[in-house]
Amino acid sequence: MTEQSIVSQDMTLKRLFQDFYRVPDYQREYVWGEADAKGEGGDQVDQFLSDIHIEFEAATKHFAPEYFIGTIVVCKGEDQVFELIDGQQRTTTAYLTLCAIRDALTDIGAAVPEELGNQIAASTIDWQGLTTYRLRLDVQYEDAGGVLQGYAEGKAAETPRDGSRSIRNLGGAYDTVREFLSTTFGEDKAQLLRFYGYLTNKVKVIRIETPTIAKALKIFETINDRGVGLDAMDLLKNLLFMHAKGQEFTELKSVWKALTDEIYAVNEKPLRFLRYYLLATFDLDSKLREDAIYDWFQKNPKLTGHTTEPLAFAKRLREAARAYANFSRGKNVLGQPEPGIENTRLLGGQSIKQHFMLLLAGRHLPAPQFTRLAAEVEKTMFVWLVTWVSAKEYERKIVDAAHKLRHIKPDEFDAFIAETFVKERADLAPQFARTMKEMKSTWLRQFRLRYLLAKITQAVDLQAYGPSESRDRLADYTAGGNDIEHIMAAGADAAAIAEFGEHAQDEAIIQSLGNLLLIEKSINRSISNTQYSEKVKSYAQSKFLLTRCQADTTAQLVGVADQITKTVQALDCWPKWTAADVEARQLFLTRLACRVWDVPVVEEVVPA
């Protein structure tokens, strides 16, 4: 082979596993068999075997169709072992299948063909006459933990299945193959051997051998152009290694692993992180799709520096990934509790993460400004969700704000907040007021309704008593120990219905926000669905001031000018409970919500 030659060979698995291979430590892990974030996929191993078996069943005594499983790209090292640059998923799966067939034959008492053993491991002699025993396939990424060797040596029962992603996935793949063989062939030795014969003689790959790793990586990129079979995160990793200097490989591998570990540790999608990072860092249109990310990198190397300084770019990406992972935990950049971020997580659930772009764009702000940014994000996100602003629209607003925030100087921060968040809430104030006045519990998902009531309840407590460990965390209010109480319940008893009067069983009234309050679960269990005049006696036992003041505020007054008294005097109360009172309390909660989420009070919610 000349210095710059590329050799392409069409070969069977029998021929393929006459050579030795290793998956370099900078490659991505073995991922076949792993479901995605939605719990979908994860059946590649079973599909691989099923497709081969379909062709196997079409074979006759005199003819067997060949089956092509794809292309692999390799580069031979000085020790004559091929570096496997592309195709490790199918190659590893084929190798595990050989190990599983050997074990299945052993378990049913059949002789294992010598050829099969040699396809799994063999001895080689170098030019100095030294003998080395090695596996035909060796995976060198750290999180594999040497488990492939356990399967290769016939020690599957002793090989761990728990641990890193690779350990779990390799174990899952091996177990899938064993289950397939057992289900398909049972203890039929002849058929199992026949399947092995078909697999090794008729299943084929195209092996492309290059003279250098750089050229192998370039071919890998070409084969996987536009992300076919791989996503932008995998292709970006390859792109960085393609432009890195040889001496940078070890550090680049370490940086990339740390980056992905940060994201996987919080069950986040790497591609979502990468998209949010780009939108937060560069002046890109919010329409950038995940499947267009790799093309963007290809066209904008000067912006990112990923071709001239791939290691430096990877380090910047890792720093952003660490911050992103902290945001996912409700923390700030340094991993410290950040109420605004934690509260937005309680508000948005697991699906709403667009505000992370703003947090990424502002992660270098001084701590007090970052805390204010997080709080403003929380308030504005709630207003967007309550006023039914579409996800597409508020994502566009977030991206625009992130672009502005990157260029904001410390003395311009207050103006940025006023122009971006305060103005946005003011513009939506009329719609916010109308929605809150008409709000029904069925309009919001349960966790978001809980957030709404908890936030209002917490705000009253904080105003009256000030900060404390038991009041500072909104999560303590939204926790399972507290219930959303329907003051007039759907299944109310006869006494409650008689006391409430007209519209007692009107579902619209029962589900109105004005008919809801937050109360401890232990108290809620004791009051059941009885009449209001009895319920309020238990409400008075609540630790939440807003709930205690539901029917009577006078008992909560302490002095003349103390903060508790001032807070209580600003609260409305309802000694009786009718449809008109539900409406009045909803108006009261609307005014309170405007104060809590810093929305200007419009004329229609000002009391007459």
Side-chain angles (χ1 to χ4, degrees):
M1 185 170 66
T2 62
E3 177 64 22
Q4 295 300 319
S5 65
I6 296 174
V7 178
S8 176
Q9 291 179 278
D10 176 344
M11 59 178 59
T12 63
L13 291 187
K14 176 186 289 188
R15 172 65 189 86
L16 182 72
F17 287 114
Q18 287 176 5
D19 293 316
F20 297 92
Y21 304 86
R22 60 171 159 255
V23 180
D25 56 4
Y26 56 81
Q27 287 279 26
R28 71 168 177 169
E29 308 93 330
Y30 181 74
V31 297
W32 272 19
E34 180 176 79
D36 62 20
K38 297 180 181 179
E40 299 171 349
D43 58 354
Q44 299 97 326
V45 176
D46 189 64
Q47 191 66 53
F48 173 85
L49 295 167
S50 297
D51 290 345
I52 293 173
H53 186 256
I54 289 171
E55 298 299 319
F56 163 71
E57 286 193 312
T60 65
K61 184 176 182 180
H62 304 290
F63 170 78
E66 293 181 333
Y67 183 68
F68 175 64
I69 60 172
T71 303
I72 67 171
V73 181
V74 299
C75 178
K76 186 180 286 186
E78 293 182 1
D79 57 357
Q80 304 303 298
V81 175
F82 288 100
E83 300 262 329
L84 189 56
I85 305 302
D86 185 29
Q88 74 131 319
Q89 305 296 324
R90 64 182 68 94
T91 304
T92 303
T93 304
Y95 185 76
L96 283 169
T97 301
L98 294 174
C99 297
I101 290 174
R102 177 206 57 202
D103 296 344
L105 288 169
T106 300
D107 287 351
I108 61 177
V112 177
E114 182 178 352
E115 182 178 277
L116 174 54
N118 286 333
Q119 290 171 330
I120 295 172
S123 297
T124 59
I125 301 177
D126 65 17
W127 67 272
Q128 294 178 321
L130 298 176
T131 300
T132 302
Y133 178 81
R134 62 177 64 185
L135 307 182
R136 292 292 184 184
L137 178 65
D138 177 28
V139 292
Q140 295 192 319
Y141 34 83
E142 294 176 4
D143 75 342
V147 297
L148 191 60
Q149 182 173 350
Y151 298 117
E153 294 177 351
K155 301 176 181 177
E158 306 163 27
T159 303
R161 300 298 200 276
D162 295 323
S164 69
R165 295 173 69 217
S166 291
I167 290 174
R168 296 193 302 271
N169 293 338
L170 287 167
Y174 174 85
D175 292 340
T176 296
V177 179
R178 285 302 305 268
E179 182 181 357
F180 173 85
L181 296 175
S182 175
T183 302
T184 307
F185 304 112
E187 297 189 1
D188 190 332
K189 302 175 185 178
Q191 276 295 92
L192 185 55
L193 280 169
R194 187 167 172 263
F195 179 72
Y196 162 66
Y198 178 84
L199 177 75
T200 190
N201 287 284
K202 294 297 182 179
V203 175
K204 306 188 80 173
V205 300
I206 292 177
R207 187 179 76 182
I208 301 174
E209 181 182 349
T210 69
T212 64
I213 289 179
K215 192 170 287 291
L217 288 167
K218 183 63 179 175
I219 292 174
F220 165 89
E221 177 190 44
T222 303
I223 291 172
N224 292 285
D225 185 34
R226 306 187 71 82
V228 177
L230 295 174
D231 63 31
M233 202 74 178
D234 297 313
L235 292 172
L236 174 59
K237 176 184 176 182
N238 170 74
L239 190 61
L240 296 182
F241 276 101
M242 188 168 66
H243 291 284
K245 299 178 177 63
Q247 64 268 27
E248 294 178 328
F249 272 34
T250 299
E251 186 176 4
L252 182 55
K253 176 210 71 173
S254 176
V255 170
W256 191 268
K257 186 176 187 303
L259 184 164
T260 53
D261 283 351
E262 290 280 6
I263 301 302
Y264 286 125
V266 290
N267 296 314
E268 275 291 336
K269 295 170 60 178
L271 267 185
R272 175 157 60 184
F273 156 69
L274 188 56
R275 177 175 180 266
Y276 285 1
Y277 170 79
L278 292 178
L279 290 171
T281 308
F282 304 101
D283 291 333
L284 302 180
D285 192 291
S286 60
K287 295 178 182 178
L288 176 72
R289 303 187 315 272
E290 290 182 358
D291 60 6
I293 288 175
Y294 185 67
D295 282 349
W296 183 87
F297 272 106
Q298 290 284 66
K299 295 173 183 176
N300 295 278
K302 291 183 179 179
L303 269 180
T304 63
H306 68 268
T307 57
T308 54
E309 295 183 311
L311 180 57
F313 173 75
K315 288 180 177 179
R316 292 195 297 273
L317 205 57
R318 178 190 60 188
E319 180 262 335
R322 184 178 298 121
Y324 188 94
N326 281 331
F327 301 157
S328 294
R329 299 184 181 98
K331 312 288 186 183
N332 63 16
V333 177
L334 300 177
Q336 300 162 334
E338 190 64 72
I341 301 178
E342 182 179 4
N343 294 353
T344 308
R345 183 173 61 171
L346 296 173
L347 162 66
Q350 294 299 312
S351 59
I352 294 179
K353 302 284 176 67
Q354 291 93 328
H355 58 289
F356 284 12
M357 287 183 276
L358 263 171
L359 301 178
L360 284 171
R363 67 187 184 278
H364 301 302
L365 289 170
Q369 290 186 344
F370 184 85
T371 292
R372 187 177 175 197
L373 172 68
E376 291 291 331
V377 166
E378 178 198 352
K379 289 185 286 190
T380 308
M381 183 63 75
F382 178 76
V383 173
W384 280 334
L385 292 173
V386 165
T387 56
W388 313 111
V389 174
S390 70
K392 182 178 179 180
E393 177 63 13
Y394 66 65
E395 179 172 292
R396 183 189 63 77
K397 293 174 182 285
I398 286 172
V399 171
D400 289 346
H403 293 168
K404 294 176 185 176
L405 182 57
R406 291 203 322 274
H407 306 293
I408 291 296
K409 298 175 182 177
D411 61 350
E412 299 171 333
F413 182 73
D414 288 345
F416 166 77
I417 293 295
E419 294 168 5
T420 305
F421 299 108
V422 176
K423 182 179 183 300
E424 178 71 9
R425 294 195 298 272
D427 290 344
L428 291 170
Q431 188 176 345
F432 180 80
R434 285 193 298 272
T435 305
M436 290 298 296
K437 280 176 61 181
E438 300 168 5
M439 177 72 71
K440 305 292 185 291
S441 65
T442 52
W443 291 8
L444 299 177
R445 296 177 65 180
Q446 188 69 14
F447 69 85
R448 194 160 293 149
L449 179 65
R450 184 175 287 270
Y451 164 89
L452 190 166
L453 291 169
K455 185 76 174 178
I456 290 176
T457 304
Q458 180 197 40
V460 172
D461 285 347
L462 287 173
Q463 182 181 347
Y465 307 115
S468 77
E469 187 174 344
S470 63
R471 290 186 289 272
D472 288 351
R473 293 188 71 247
L474 184 63
D476 291 338
Y477 286 78
T478 62
N482 300 321
D483 279 345
I484 296 175
E485 152 77 348
H486 286 72
I487 301 172
M488 179 61 198
D493 60 25
I497 293 173
E499 184 178 276
F500 189 85
E502 191 179 5
H503 306 300
Q505 294 299 287
D506 188 327
E507 190 68 16
I509 292 175
I510 291 171
Q511 299 303 330
S512 293
L513 178 65
N515 191 49
L516 308 177
L517 56 75
L518 193 71
I519 196 168
E520 296 88 334
K521 188 182 291 291
S522 56
I523 297 176
N524 197 30
R525 285 174 179 171
S526 68
I527 58 182
S528 187
N529 293 331
T530 189
Q531 67 262 44
Y532 182 71
S533 57
E534 289 298 320
K535 279 189 172 187
V536 294
K537 298 174 184 176
S538 296
Y539 292 167
Q541 300 170 14
S542 174
K543 65 181 178 182
F544 305 134
L545 183 59
L546 184 62
T547 304
R548 287 205 308 274
C549 290
Q550 167 63 22
D552 181 16
T553 57
T554 57
Q556 308 302 324
L557 299 176
V558 177
V560 176
D562 62 273
Q563 193 58 36
I564 298 175
T565 296
K566 289 180 179 180
T567 302
V568 170
Q569 288 175 334
L571 299 177
D572 290 351
C573 65
W574 291 268
K576 60 183 179 61
W577 199 241
T578 65
D581 295 306
V582 173
E583 183 178 355
R585 186 171 182 271
Q586 182 131 355
L587 187 62
F588 161 73
L589 291 178
T590 299
R591 295 196 302 272
L592 199 51
C594 288
R595 178 168 63 82
V596 171
W597 283 282
D598 196 13
V599 178
V601 178
V602 296
E603 185 175 339
E604 59 187 294
V605 298
V606 176

